[in-house]
Amino acid sequence: MKTGTGRTGRRIVLLAALILLLSTIPFPTATASDGKMVRVLLESLKLSDRMTIEVYGSYLLDNRLGFQRGSRLEVSIRSGRLWVHYEGLAYRAEERFLLTRYQLADRQMENGLRLQSGLSLYTGSLSVSIQDGRLRAIMEIPIEEYLQGVVPYEMADEFPLEALKAQAIAARTYALANLKPKSDFDVVDSANDQVYRGLDPSKTNAVRAVVETAGTVCTYHGALAQCYYTASNGGLTESAYNAWGRERIDYLQIQEDKYDLENPSSEVRSAS
C-alpha cells in the first residue's frame, strides 16, 4: 500500500493503528454508502489520442447507440473532435461522449467495460472528453463496486480476511470523505488517492471483505474520520500535524507500532 493524501502527501498511519481506531470509535454499520457514486479519473491509463473500449454489458453511447456484448470501440481524436469507430461505423461525438451503463436482468452476468485491452472489468458509466489534446476518461461507479477494484491493489488478496476488512473500511471512509460535488471527478485511480484497477473476480478475499463490511465506515464525533494508511512506518507513526501542518487531529498522533517491527517483510536499514 503506497498512497497519498489529497493529491500530494503520503499516508502515515499504519493499518494496525486503524484497527485500534476501529476498536475504540463507534461507527455506523447499516447503509453509510447506499446509493453513493464515486467519479474516478483514470489517469493510470496514460491516454494519448486513442483508446479502445470493449463492451461487456448493457450500455448506450450518448443514449443513442447500443452494442452487442463483446463489441470493440476504437476512440480517437481528429481535428479536435472525438470519433468512435465500431464495425465500420463512425460516430462523431464533438468534445465529449458518455457510455451509460444500465442494469441487466441477470445480475450474475458481467456488466462493465474493458479498457485498453485489459482484463479487469470497469463496472460503471464512462465519460470521455478531450483535455489539452489528449483523451480524458472518468468512470462513475457505485462506491461498493469501486472498492472491489481498490482493496486488492492496496493490500494483497492473500492477506488475512480481517485485515482486508479493515482495509475495505478505511478505503470506503476515505472515498466517502473525498466526494467533491463541485468538481468533475472525486478521486484519481493512482496512489495520489487510492489505487483502482477495476474488478478482477479472482481477487475473491478482497471482494468478500468489501461485501461483508458493506456500508461500514469510521467516524469521529459524528463525522467521517480521516483514515490514512501506509505499508510501513518503521515502528513509529507520524502525527498529521507534523506531516502536513494543516490541523491537529486527536486520533492521528505519534505512537509506537510494534507490529510493523515484527513484520518480516518490512525493509530494514542501518545507518551510523
Side-chain angles (χ1 to χ4, degrees), residues 91-105:
Y91 173 75
R92 191 176 78 169
E94 300 300 331
E95 296 182 356
R96 178 182 180 273
F97 69 80
L98 177 64
L99 272 168
T100 304
R101 185 180 72 156
Y102 292 89
Q103 195 172 85
L104 288 171

Side-chain angles (χ1 to χ4, degrees), residues 1 15 31 40 59 63 85 89 97 118 138-139 164 177 184 217-218 224 261 263:
M1 297 174 293
L15 201 55
T31 56
V40 188
Y59 281 84
N63 288 318
H85 293 268
L89 300 176
F97 69 80
I138 297 174
M139 177 69 62
L164 288 163
D184 60 347
V217 295
C218 294
L224 290 169
L261 297 178
N263 180 6

Side-chain angles (χ1 to χ4, degrees), residues 5-247:
T5 176
R7 292 287 181 266
T8 57
R10 290 185 60 81
R11 302 177 195 274
I12 57 170
V13 179
L14 187 66
L15 201 55
L18 169 65
I19 296 172
L20 177 61
L21 175 67
L22 294 179
S23 68
T24 58
I25 299 177
F27 51 82
T29 58
T31 56
S33 60
D34 274 9
K36 294 289 187 180
M37 306 289 287
V38 59
R39 297 161 303 159
V40 188
L41 177 63
L42 305 179
E43 66 176 15
S44 67
L45 295 179
K46 302 185 185 304
L47 297 174
S48 57
D49 61 345
R50 295 178 180 274
M51 73 177 297
T52 60
I53 303 171
E54 295 171 82
V55 181
Y56 286 89
S58 178
Y59 281 84
L60 284 180
L61 175 60
D62 286 344
N63 288 318
R64 298 178 183 178
L65 301 176
F67 307 96
Q68 295 180 338
R69 180 172 292 272
S71 296
R72 181 183 175 93
L73 313 182
E74 300 283 349
V75 183
S76 61
I77 301 174
R78 290 193 336 211
S79 302
R81 296 290 183 266
L82 278 172
W83 288 84
V84 181
H85 293 268
Y86 162 66
E87 293 189 353
L89 300 176
Y91 173 75
R92 191 176 78 169
E94 300 300 331
E95 296 182 356
R96 178 182 180 273
F97 69 80
L98 177 64
L99 272 168
T100 304
R101 185 180 72 156
Y102 292 89
Q103 195 172 85
L104 288 171
D106 184 353
R107 299 285 185 93
Q108 302 303 312
M109 292 185 67
E110 288 185 335
N111 194 12
L113 306 169
R114 289 187 166 88
L115 308 177
Q116 300 294 77
S117 301
L119 298 178
S120 294
L121 197 69
Y122 287 74
T123 57
S125 296
L126 180 69
S127 170
V128 178
S129 59
I130 301 174
Q131 185 177 70
D132 300 326
R134 303 170 69 90
L135 294 170
R136 185 172 187 260
I138 297 174
M139 177 69 62
E140 184 176 26
I141 180 173
I143 196 164
E144 295 299 325
E145 295 181 30
Y146 161 74
L147 293 171
Q148 292 180 18
V150 169
V151 174
Y153 300 99
E154 290 287 4
M155 177 178 285
D157 193 60
E158 297 76 23
F159 275 33
L161 179 61
E162 295 306 311
L164 288 163
K165 287 182 179 180
Q167 176 64 59
I169 294 168
R172 182 181 293 106
T173 307
Y174 181 89
L176 287 171
N178 282 276
L179 299 180
K180 303 176 181 66
K182 294 183 179 180
S183 176
D184 60 347
F185 68 92
D186 300 306
V187 294
V188 298
D189 67 345
S190 70
N192 284 333
D193 278 308
Q194 299 184 126
V195 175
Y196 169 73
R197 295 293 182 267
L199 174 63
D200 180 348
S202 70
K203 309 293 187 181
T204 55
N205 288 331
V207 171
R208 178 182 172 187
V210 173
V211 171
E212 292 188 5
T213 63
T216 306
V217 295
C218 294
T219 65
Y220 183 73
H221 290 172
L224 290 169
Q226 297 291 333
C227 293
Y228 303 124
Y229 53 88
T230 183
S232 181
N233 57 28
L236 195 69
T237 68
E238 179 60 286
S239 74
Y241 182 79
N242 286 347
W244 302 301
R246 295 193 297 262
E247 58 183 326

